[in-house]
Amino acid sequence: MSDHKEIQRMANQIAKAFGAYPEEQAIKETANHIKSFWDPRMRKQLAEIIARDKTALNPVALAAGRQLGLG
Amino acid sequence: MDTLIKEIDYGTPKSDSTRMVTLEIDGHQVTVPEGTSIMRAAMELGTKIPKLCATDSMKSFGSCRLCLVEIEGRKGTPASCTTPVAPGIKVKTQTDHLADLRRGVMELYISDHPLDCLTCAANGDCELQDMAGAVGLREVRYGYEGDNHVFARSNGSENFRYKPKDESNPYFTFDPAKCIVCSRCVRACEEVQGTFALTIDGRGFASHVSAGMDEDFLASECVSCGACVQACPTATLTEKSIIAKGQPDHSVVTTCAYCGVGCSFKAEMKGDEVVRMMPYKDGGANEGHSCVKGRFAWGYATHNDRMMKPMVRDKITDPWREVSWDEAIDFTARRFKEIQTRHGVGSVGAITSSRCTNEEVYVVQKMVRAAFHNNNVDTCARVCHSPTGYGLSKTFGTSAGTQDFKSVDKADVIMIIGANPTDGHPVFASRMKKRLREGARLIVVDPRRTDIVRSPHIEAEYHLPLQPGTNVAVVNALAHVVVTEGLVKRDYVAERCEPDDFARWEKFIADPKNSPEALEAITGVKAEDVRAAARLYATAGNGAIYYGLGVTEHSQGSTMVMGMANLAMATGNIGREGVGVNPLRGQNNVQGSCDMGSFPHEFTGYRHISDNTVRDLFEKVWSTALDPEPGLRIPNMFSAAIDGSFRGLFVQGEDIAQSDPNTKHVNSALESLECLVVQDLFLNETAAFAHVFLPGTSFLEKDGTFTNAERRINRVRPVMAPKQGMQEWEVVARIATAMGYPMSYSSGAEIMDEIAKVTPTFAGVSFEKLDRLGSVQWPCNDAAPEGTPTMHVGKFVRGKGRFMLTEFVATDERTNRSFPLILTTGRILSQYNVGAQTRRTANVAWHPEDVLEIHPHDAEVRGIREGSMVSLTSRIGAITLRAVIADRMPQGVVYTTFHHPVTGANVITTEYSDWATNCPEYKVTAVQVTPSNQPSDWRTEWEQRETEHKRVAIKPLVAAE
Ligand code: SF4
Ligand code: SF4
Ligand code: SF4
Ligand code: FES
């Protein structure tokens, strides 16, 4: 699935789960989560999403992706 | 050869008192806990007082009058089973007077009992026979001409006391002619099982045992646990397998291979044939009890459908070709290596099974990490309890239930969330029901009115029938009440938990948006009930939470696990007996398969693969470099298969094509694989897409361990040699070797030794220790050489408990006009998971097909009647099945099981999953239900695959001439 819909949904979902935390910590937790549990090819797809359309991600997910050097 | 294990029957249950009493029996001193019966005290000395109505699994009853004794200075001859010990008394168990009395009692019994001992199924295992021998009965003066219940006709006319045999239950018979009305069966059903299916009807000489309202067993409330059969001292209740095959001659203690309770059994054998499975009293998990699956449903192990030969094929449309083990192993290794050469190291992986032993699972994950050189290994726990792993690690520091099962005996208030223990975990449910009958209070959080909400002598004080998908809102509301009504155990929290995280959580949860009133519209649960339930849980003493897949299989499964952990910490309900947060695990070795490093990001014992120290240890022990990056989880494997980066998969003993959600998606993923290897007993649904089939072993052949939901490591002992010729771990080790990573073990014990070497929580585990102690609960190491029944005593595994913020986020799966109902899925007592095993036993008598349970109103507006065929449609797919009108369903929610592949329940479940672990959201699917009279497209497709993809090539017959 080249539009990576699933990866997009998962990243946004993780960010939302940390929604009650202060933004900075939510970003950190989201980034950590993605780093600890995602296969590198999934992270690559996240980078592709960011490169293509930044609005596909909510702000926390986007910032987390950037923190991981994915965009 | 092993001998037949005969466990000692002490006649009455053990007393828990710590005060000791010394008395004298037949001139010998004995010291026992206060409250012990004289009968039991005598047995401690090895003195068997004759008895019929007493047995140590239930309270004494005192009806047979065979166990009389004399006590110096007391009048009469009291029954030793009902008379407790007293300090200094002098008891005589054998005198001429007692002997006369006992012979008199036996004579009466025998005068109303058939004398066909030689041809009776219980011959050699009958307590009546034994007692007749023990008391020296030599003659019976009363004939059979008089009143009796033995013969159909008496003195030429019909005998109304006679009742014919009831053979309705597929596993045991009830022959009332042989009944001595000792009521052991009735009491077993009440006290041990807690079902209350049996009664003694009539009075005096006319009294008899009856199931339900004088129904046959199958039609009654009976759940076929077999406790009554086990308790019956005569042949009245007898296993059909014993009637067919005769008494066993040797036995081996092993572990049930069905659910996460992990019951211990004696496999009672004749040669290498099982004739009976008998629950083992020393089994830590079950203490002599069982359910219908473990005791009776083992016939699948020798079912004709079982595959015995390895098979391969180039294309999944080809017929299967039987080959030698060597050829199958080489074929697999060659294909996997080719795929890796063409598509990269990460293009192959494996799925481990919760039905296999720890040793088998360990070897598969080792094959992936060391021979495939990646971390693409996951386990079927992904689709059930992975959120438990995530949630409990975050909050407490380790991924496991906090208690042993016995702990429930000390619980004062039990909260069951999203679990149906009487169906899913029956033997634990019996324990729980016992505690509830003793007065513990009950809260049930479940959309359905599950059986435990109201059952004989049990009634939940609060049943919170929430809308599926709103668990987190409910647990937040409960916690909100605890915090805002001043019910937090401040001392506990201050001492045991991270203060900053608690402070932040307290503020978050106290927000009015988390109040029961604010959430009522979302959860559908009355605010006042939530408040009352929260108060009860927080203040009634020991509060214990038990939960199941109704918690985990949601888009917020992990959040919910953390929510429950928060609630337990805030109320001080972690770290001692009687409390805790306890996952009820689905399959027998879910706990074990997770412990064994089956997750793509973790080594054994839940240590992240990016941790250099841990990786170093493994690199040293395994002598190979290891990949520090996490691999693919099961749903990610499917997606990667479809997008082409994942091409080879080894599946150990699981049927992902049936059990995983969104069947169409799964099937198209499986179809995209270049090499799919299935190791299983049967040609299951997944095997329809496979290129290699490696026949597996049943639990009767395995040599290893299972770890149950209470972290108890139980031995699985082989009672026969592997029927297909090789242990499963050996097959895997040989594949790894053929791929260039030499791996070899000579026994299960050797694999466990390696596990102990690389896993701190298993450091003290060995087969030798398990054989010595029976079982241990991990952590088992120098700090706890005999294991750890209760975790987090004094201090959490992670140090301080961490409160996590649990924001409620509604699932994306919503009802709308086209799909107005919510479907939730589950299982029932007699079937197990995908049904591959139970469907191949007589258990189908209770559940021949999956049905759709629907509320009467929802049915009526759709013109659906009891038993009519309906079409069940989601935005993913459609299936057909039969409807059952059930008022235990809330309006707007329908329910089905996934035991039968032809139904295809997962054809309609969606791809949504838990945010943290990708555990699928099985419990919430928006659906529509309409009357239907045609089979679904799925059914047609399935039937076609069933014939085409499962063909085995017929071997050319060698002509005789
Ligand atoms: S089999 Fe179990 S449920 Fe059925 S009557 Fe016997 S004890 Fe009761
Ligand atoms: S069926 Fe067996 S256990 Fe039950 S009353 Fe009769 S003899 Fe006793
Ligand atoms: S409760 Fe579970 S482990 Fe025990 S006998 Fe039944 S299926 Fe087996
Ligand atoms: S065994 Fe004591 S009265 Fe029956």
Side-chain angles (χ1 to χ4, degrees):
Chain A
M1 273 177 276
S2 53
D3 56 355
H4 310 325
K5 272 261 170 335
E6 215 174 298
I7 294 288
Q8 175 190 345
R9 176 166 50 78
M10 282 162 54
N12 284 332
Q13 209 186 346
I14 295 167
K16 266 198 234 164
F18 290 108
Y21 284 89
E23 186 166 289
E24 202 173 313
Q25 195 176 352
I27 295 169
K28 206 175 102 208
E29 296 274 2
T30 307
N32 242 335
H33 191 93
I34 290 174
K35 187 168 179 329
S36 311
F37 298 105
W38 283 23
D39 180 277
R41 76 194 87 170
M42 295 162 68
R43 279 178 265 158
K44 196 169 136 249
Q45 292 178 358
L46 185 62
E48 285 162 21
I49 294 172
I50 296 175
R52 194 173 50 217
D53 175 13
K54 292 179 183 41
T55 61
L57 299 178
N58 60 35
V60 171
L62 179 64
R66 290 199 161 126
Q67 206 171 81
L68 289 169
L70 301 175
Chain B
M1 174 120 295
D2 316 272
T3 49
L4 187 68
I5 304 163
K6 283 263 181 203
E7 293 163 277
I8 299 172
D9 181 356
Y10 289 91
T12 64
K14 196 168 159 222
S15 160
D16 280 336
S17 174
T18 47
R19 293 239 289 277
M20 301 304 279
V21 172
T22 301
L23 67 158
E24 196 182 291
I25 298 177
D26 297 333
H28 302 283
Q29 291 233 320
V30 60
T31 303
V32 293
E34 193 174 39
T36 303
S37 69
I38 290 177
M39 175 180 279
R40 189 175 176 108
M43 198 62 220
E44 300 271 357
L45 284 171
T47 303
K48 277 190 206 161
I49 300 176
K51 64 179 184 60
L52 277 172
C53 68
T55 186
D56 58 12
S57 59
M58 57 188 84
K59 287 192 245 105
S60 59
F61 192 59
S63 70
C64 75
R65 312 293 301 162
L66 199 60
C67 66
L68 310 177
V69 292
E70 289 175 8
I71 302 172
E72 203 177 286
R74 287 197 202 171
K75 276 216 242 16
T77 50
S80 63
C81 64
T82 49
T83 311
V85 294
I89 56 169
K90 294 194 163 75
V91 179
K92 278 208 161 35
T93 68
Q94 187 65 18
T95 65
D96 289 349
H97 177 51
L98 290 173
D100 279 348
L101 288 173
R102 289 185 189 139
R103 265 196 295 271
V105 169
M106 277 312 291
E107 195 175 349
L108 272 174
Y109 273 118
I110 299 300
S111 70
D112 196 10
H113 191 85
L115 291 178
D116 58 358
C117 288
L118 278 182
T119 52
C120 176
N123 191 3
D125 184 29
C126 171
E127 293 181 41
L128 192 66
Q129 202 177 45
D130 294 348
M131 289 307 123
V135 305
L137 185 70
R138 296 293 170 256
E139 58 173 346
V140 177
R141 286 162 294 174
Y142 325 105
Y144 287 121
E145 301 78 47
D147 203 7
N148 72 71
H149 75 304
V150 178
F151 300 105
R153 299 183 73 76
S154 182
N155 298 325
S157 57
E158 194 176 345
N159 178 2
F160 290 105
R161 282 191 55 220
Y162 173 83
K163 292 204 161 41
K165 254 193 212 175
D166 172 355
E167 301 193 285
S168 62
N169 183 293
Y171 297 116
F172 59 83
T173 62
F174 174 58
D175 182 0
K178 300 206 159 167
C179 179
I180 58 169
V181 202
C182 66
S183 87
R184 269 160 69 161
C185 54
V186 177
R187 289 176 287 137
C189 192
E190 293 177 3
E191 292 177 35
V192 179
Q193 164 58 23
T195 293
F196 293 75
L198 301 178
T199 44
I200 303 271
D201 282 354
R203 287 169 162 272
F205 220 54
S207 59
H208 65 276
V209 171
S210 88
M213 325 288 274
D214 254 328
E215 294 154 295
D216 66 32
F217 268 78
L218 193 63
S220 75
E221 301 283 284
C222 166
V223 294
S224 197
C225 71
C228 56
V229 183
Q230 183 178 347
C232 181
T234 65
T236 315
L237 286 160
T238 303
E239 297 87 353
K240 287 184 178 170
S241 60
I242 292 287
I243 297 175
K245 296 173 181 167
Q247 294 291 330
D249 56 35
H250 67 282
S251 55
V252 178
V253 176
T254 189
T255 305
C256 176
Y258 279 114
C259 86
V261 176
C263 297
S264 298
F265 281 87
K266 293 178 288 182
E268 298 191 331
M269 315 283 300
K270 262 169 122 71
D272 74 349
E273 195 179 8
V274 179
V275 297
R276 173 163 68 189
M277 293 294 278
M278 184 57 89
Y280 189 49
K281 279 202 280 193
D282 276 339
N286 58 320
E287 298 182 306
H289 190 35
S290 79
C291 82
V292 58
K293 295 189 287 293
R295 191 192 297 260
F296 294 125
W298 35 267
Y300 73 88
T302 48
H303 194 279
N304 273 343
D305 286 355
R306 218 181 122 179
M307 291 290 159
M308 297 298 176
K309 290 265 166 43
M311 301 187 296
V312 301
R313 58 183 175 187
D314 284 321
K315 293 199 302 296
I316 61 172
T317 44
D318 292 346
W320 284 106
R321 193 158 54 82
E322 288 185 355
V323 295
S324 67
W325 276 112
D326 283 343
E327 191 176 341
I329 287 163
D330 285 346
F331 185 97
T332 307
R334 189 160 26 91
R335 286 261 178 138
F336 276 7
K337 275 196 298 195
E338 280 166 16
I339 293 173
Q340 285 190 309
T341 315
R342 272 184 285 119
H343 301 281
V345 174
S347 58
V348 299
I351 297 174
T352 69
S353 171
S354 302
R355 296 213 274 268
C356 290
T357 62
N358 287 321
E359 293 71 16
E360 289 164 341
V361 167
Y362 176 85
V363 169
V364 170
Q365 62 89 32
K366 180 174 175 182
M367 168 177 79
V368 172
R369 301 187 204 278
F372 295 1
H373 301 293
N374 64 39
N375 290 311
N376 292 330
V377 59
D378 203 359
T379 181
C380 52
R382 173 67 53 211
V383 302
C384 67
H385 265 294
S386 51
T388 293
Y390 179 84
L392 296 184
S393 309
K394 277 272 171 188
T395 47
F396 300 158
T398 193
S399 164
T402 58
Q403 314 296 119
D404 59 0
F405 289 144
K406 222 183 165 59
S407 157
V408 78
D409 298 349
K410 300 239 163 69
D412 298 307
V413 48
I414 295 171
M415 174 136 71
I416 305 176
I417 309 181
N420 184 8
T422 49
D423 280 275
H425 305 85
V427 166
F428 174 68
S430 290
R431 237 185 230 274
M432 186 185 252
K433 287 199 283 188
K434 189 169 185 179
R435 181 64 193 151
L436 290 166
R437 288 196 304 275
E438 286 166 4
R441 302 163 77 180
L442 177 65
I443 302 166
V444 176
V445 183
D446 203 297
R448 295 191 299 151
R449 197 179 69 231
T450 49
D451 288 343
I452 203 153
V453 172
R454 199 171 302 129
S455 60
H457 306 278
I458 292 173
E459 172 131 35
E461 233 151 299
Y462 300 101
H463 171 214
L464 312 182
L466 75 176
Q467 267 299 308
T470 64
N471 284 336
V472 172
V474 170
V475 83
N476 283 350
L478 290 166
H480 175 90
V481 176
V482 169
V483 165
T484 54
E485 295 192 7
L487 305 175
V488 172
K489 290 261 178 341
R490 298 272 160 192
D491 302 352
Y492 179 93
V493 171
E495 186 198 328
R496 304 277 311 259
C497 304
E498 305 271 11
D500 294 349
D501 287 293
F502 174 71
R504 181 155 58 198
W505 175 78
E506 192 181 21
K507 199 162 148 251
F508 159 78
I509 210 78
D511 190 299
K513 76 169 189 224
N514 286 321
S515 71
E517 290 73 19
L519 292 167
E520 191 174 309
I522 297 168
T523 63
V525 185
K526 278 199 237 113
E528 66 208 76
D529 285 356
V530 175
R531 285 197 179 269
R535 288 175 200 136
L536 178 63
Y537 172 73
T539 60
N542 286 338
I545 296 176
Y546 292 90
Y547 71 95
L549 305 182
V551 158
T552 53
E553 289 176 346
H554 286 282
S555 62
Q556 280 205 291
S558 293
T559 311
M560 180 60 186
V561 173
M562 296 190 291
M564 295 184 306
N566 290 340
L567 187 62
M569 287 190 289
T571 50
N573 278 317
I574 294 286
R576 62 176 189 281
E577 271 192 291
V579 299
V581 177
N582 299 283
L584 294 172
R585 307 273 182 172
Q587 306 197 49
N588 52 332
N589 202 30
V590 176
Q591 180 71 52
S593 67
C594 297
D595 300 341
M596 288 302 104
S598 292
F599 289 133
H601 64 282
E602 274 171 350
F603 288 118
T604 59
Y606 308 100
R607 291 160 300 157
H608 203 275
I609 44 160
S610 64
D611 182 325
N612 291 333
T613 336
V614 178
R615 217 175 46 255
D616 280 354
L617 168 72
F618 278 88
E619 292 190 337
K620 221 172 268 138
V621 177
W622 291 352
S623 335
T624 182
L626 295 169
D627 181 359
E629 289 287 354
L632 296 167
R633 299 170 287 192
I634 294 173
N636 315 143
M637 289 179 189
F638 294 151
S639 303
I642 289 169
D643 77 20
S645 66
F646 190 74
R647 308 256 177 159
L649 178 62
F650 179 99
V651 182
Q652 175 190 37
E654 278 303 322
D655 198 0
I656 47 180
Q658 190 185 343
S659 63
D660 285 33
N662 195 352
T663 309
K664 284 229 172 84
H665 175 71
V666 175
N667 288 1
S668 64
L670 296 178
E671 270 163 3
S672 331
L673 294 170
E674 284 175 31
C675 184
L676 174 62
V677 182
V678 168
Q679 187 176 38
D680 205 290
L681 296 178
F682 305 107
L683 269 186
N684 57 19
E685 300 310 301
T686 311
F689 303 94
H691 305 87
V692 181
F693 184 85
L694 304 169
T697 51
S698 79
F699 76 114
L700 296 170
E701 297 137 62
K702 291 184 192 297
D703 179 18
T705 55
F706 291 150
T707 308
N708 76 355
E710 40 165 13
R711 293 171 277 108
R712 187 185 300 280
I713 308 164
N714 277 315
R715 278 282 276 126
V716 184
R717 296 187 178 85
V719 299
M720 54 184 80
K723 284 192 175 299
Q724 32 56 305
M726 213 186 287
Q727 287 291 348
E728 287 184 24
W729 47 257
E730 188 177 346
V731 178
V732 174
R734 286 176 57 177
I735 293 173
T737 307
M739 288 187 70
Y741 178 79
M743 209 153 119
S744 90
Y745 298 99
S746 59
S747 65
E750 190 187 337
I751 304 175
M752 180 51 87
D753 291 344
E754 183 175 316
I755 295 168
K757 190 151 124 196
V758 294
T759 318
T761 42
F762 275 66
V765 182
S766 66
F767 279 21
E768 180 276 321
K769 182 179 278 182
L770 294 172
D771 289 342
R772 190 156 37 86
L773 299 179
S775 63
V776 293
Q777 290 173 266
W778 68 257
C780 173
N781 46 31
D782 286 347
E786 306 219 326
T788 313
T790 311
M791 291 197 90
H792 314 297
V793 179
K795 161 169 169 289
F796 284 98
V797 168
R798 75 180 292 283
K800 297 245 176 196
R802 183 175 178 207
F803 282 84
M804 295 293 293
L805 301 191
T806 51
E807 178 90 344
F808 170 66
V809 181
T811 166
D812 289 334
E813 180 74 3
R814 306 276 162 83
T815 52
N816 58 24
R817 204 174 307 146
S818 314
F819 302 109
L821 302 170
I822 297 260
L823 168 75
T824 178
T825 62
R827 62 174 159 148
I828 54 131
L829 171 69
S830 58
Q831 296 286 350
Y832 173 76
N833 197 272
V834 294
Q837 295 139 293
T838 42
R839 274 184 284 115
R840 291 183 171 91
T841 68
N843 278 22
V844 290
W846 289 276
H847 187 79
E849 61 181 341
D850 294 317
V851 296
L852 185 78
E853 292 187 29
I854 183 167
H855 184 274
H857 176 79
D858 292 332
E860 200 189 317
V861 297
R862 290 173 174 77
I864 291 164
R865 275 185 317 242
E866 175 81 17
S868 59
M869 289 306 283
V870 295
S871 156
L872 179 65
T873 321
S874 74
R875 61 186 170 78
I876 300 281
I879 59 170
T880 50
L881 70 178
R882 208 172 290 287
V884 165
I885 316 290
D887 67 0
R888 67 173 182 163
M889 296 305 301
Q891 221 169 305
V893 182
V894 293
Y895 170 83
T896 189
T897 48
F898 59 100
H899 301 306
H900 296 269
V902 63
T903 324
N906 282 321
V907 170
I908 54 173
T909 51
T910 72
E911 73 282 17
Y912 290 139
S913 67
D914 174 44
W915 66 269
T917 65
N918 277 166
C919 177
E921 187 170 49
Y922 288 107
K923 301 293 182 185
V924 187
T925 308
V927 292
Q928 179 58 295
V929 179
T930 47
S932 152
N933 48 18
Q934 317 181 18
S936 62
D937 294 349
W938 157 257
R939 210 179 179 102
T940 320
E941 189 189 320
W942 181 80
E943 276 160 4
Q944 187 186 350
R945 208 169 28 240
E946 187 67 6
T947 48
E948 283 187 7
H949 288 203
K950 294 193 178 173
R951 278 175 303 157
V952 178
I954 314 238
K955 281 224 194 78
L957 286 174
V958 182
E961 288 164 331

